[in-house]
């Protein structure tokens, strides 16, 4: 049997598997989906899991059950593009005929000493569980510091405020403002919400070192009980190790069919792919649909025809009662309606994937 192997059951890999299973697979072909977890975790909601406002079952989605789909669990350690093998930490290698790499991302610590050792992550389901435990163990009036004032940091801080009103929460960023990539009126709305809910904002902080509960802003020491890192991402180490062309962020450069140019039986989806968009679940799903179309066309002996990926916008939450959105490049939405829209998107994601 020929094997289409999908590494990672996140938004991109899950979408590809679902779309292909909705069609007729060649009789001599199976799909092998490999993930470290026995379910998909809805990563856009990990901040709520870390904060303790939802149970983890709320953001678990079961993988499809289909005789044409083989589910395999394990930790991918390497991909050999020459021998067409996937290698694992604790089992024999797996050969593939076609491969989709959707292994997601890890935190980018920007070379800051001690950052990986002394901060907590929300990049994987397992690490998010650990972060929740650390936050849960902080005594009343303790200090939690969140590094990174982008979307993830803002959602983490606001949800934690709702979960633990007894804590001191600090949001640290090296830039002059939260949400610096967004329009000024949206930045102002988020900043005012944070100030109203007594979240300390520390812009223009240049961290050089973390040492236990001490955060070094050059010579200044900022003390904290728990540090949560949301200050950037980079592709999976497996992708970092591939000897292929990459962009300045380390993401794999692809052709018009989302294939690695010199290895056209290999596709890259999501956070590991070099695309003209910021990494997001929405981008991974849209790209996943196109990859499924390309694979289906190749199986039929047809030439793939793809349009441009079009995104609907960005939605973010400020606790359970407020939020913000950016539709297109400049249309800003704030308040309860934006939060309701985000809740609706989550509901549709669970319905679609489930």
């Amino acid at each position: 049997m020929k094997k289409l192997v999908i590494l990672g059951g996140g938004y991109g890999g899950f979408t590809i598997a679902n779309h292909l299973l909705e069609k007729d697979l060649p009789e001599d072909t199976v799909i092998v989906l490999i993930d470290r977890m026995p379910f998909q975790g809805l990563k856009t909601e990990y901040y709520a899991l870390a904060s303790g406002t939802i149970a983890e079952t709320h953001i678990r989605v079961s993988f499809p059950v289909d005789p044409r789909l083989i589910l395999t669990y394990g930790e991918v350690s390497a991909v050999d593009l020459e021998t067409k093998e996937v290698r694992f930490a604790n089992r024999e290698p797996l050969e593939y005929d076609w491969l989709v790499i959707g292994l997601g991302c890890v935190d980018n610590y920007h070379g800051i000493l001690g950052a990986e050792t002394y901060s907590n992550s929300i990049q994987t389901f397992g690490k998010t569980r650990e972060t929740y435990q650390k936050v849960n163990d902080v005594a009343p009036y303790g200090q939690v510091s969140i590094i990174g004032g982008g979307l993830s940091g803002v959602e983490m801080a606001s949800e934690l405020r709702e979960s633990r009103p007894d804590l001191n929460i600090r949001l640290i960023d090296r830039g002059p403002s939260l949400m610096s990539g967004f329009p000024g009126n949206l930045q102002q709305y988020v900043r005012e919400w944070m100030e109203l809910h007594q979240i300390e904002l520390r812009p223009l902080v240049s961290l050089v070192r973390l040492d236990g509960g001490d955060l070094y802003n050059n010579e200044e020491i900022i003390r904290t009980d728990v540090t949560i890192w949301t200050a950037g991402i980079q592709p999976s180490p497996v992708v970092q190790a591939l000897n292929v062309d990459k962009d300045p962020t380390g993401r794999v450069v692809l052709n018009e069919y989302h294939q690695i140019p010199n290895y056209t039986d290999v596709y890259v989806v999501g956070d590991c792919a070099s695309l003209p968009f910021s990494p997001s679940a929405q981008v991974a799903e849209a790209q996943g649909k196109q990859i499924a179309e390309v694979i289906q066309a190749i199986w039929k002996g047809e030439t793939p025809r793809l349009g441009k990926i079009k995104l609907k916008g960005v939605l973010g939450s400020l606790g359970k009662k407020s939020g913000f959105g950016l539709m297109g490049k400049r249309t800003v939405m704030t308040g309860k309606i934006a939060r309701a829209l985000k809740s609706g998107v989550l509901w549709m994601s669970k319905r679609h994937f489930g």
Side-chain angles (χ1 to χ4, degrees), residues 100-167:
V100 175
I101 301 175
L103 292 172
C105 60
V106 295
D107 289 297
N108 187 346
Y109 297 105
H110 308 287
I112 298 173
L113 295 175
E116 183 172 5
T117 302
Y118 296 112
S119 69
N120 300 276
S121 174
I122 55 171
Q123 288 304 324
T124 69
F125 209 100
K127 288 184 177 180
T128 302
R129 284 172 172 156
E130 294 173 6
T131 298
Y132 162 71
Q133 192 61 54
K134 289 284 184 66
V135 170
N136 192 55
D137 289 343
V138 177
Y141 311 114
Q143 177 72 59
V144 175
S145 298
I146 299 163
I147 313 299
L151 177 60
S152 295
V154 163
E155 290 191 311
M156 183 73 228
S158 58
E159 198 78 8
L160 185 56
R161 167 54 70 223
E162 187 160 301
S163 172
R164 293 288 306 270
D166 58 291
L167 293 179

Side-chain angles (χ1 to χ4, degrees), residues 3 10 26 28 35 42 69-70 77 102 109-110 114 129 164 192 225 245 266 296 300 316 339:
K3 294 189 288 290
D28 63 345
D35 200 274
L42 297 178
L69 176 68
I70 299 171
S77 60
Y109 297 105
H110 308 287
R129 284 172 172 156
R164 293 288 306 270
E192 290 176 352
D225 294 301
D245 288 340
V266 181
Q296 193 71 28
K300 292 180 178 180
R339 186 63 180 93

Side-chain angles (χ1 to χ4, degrees), residues 10-32:
Y11 292 98
F14 201 125
T15 296
I16 294 167
N18 262 347
H19 277 260
L20 290 176
L21 291 172
E22 290 173 358
K23 309 292 183 179
D24 292 328
L25 270 64
E27 292 184 0
D28 63 345
T29 299
V30 294
I31 299 173
V32 181

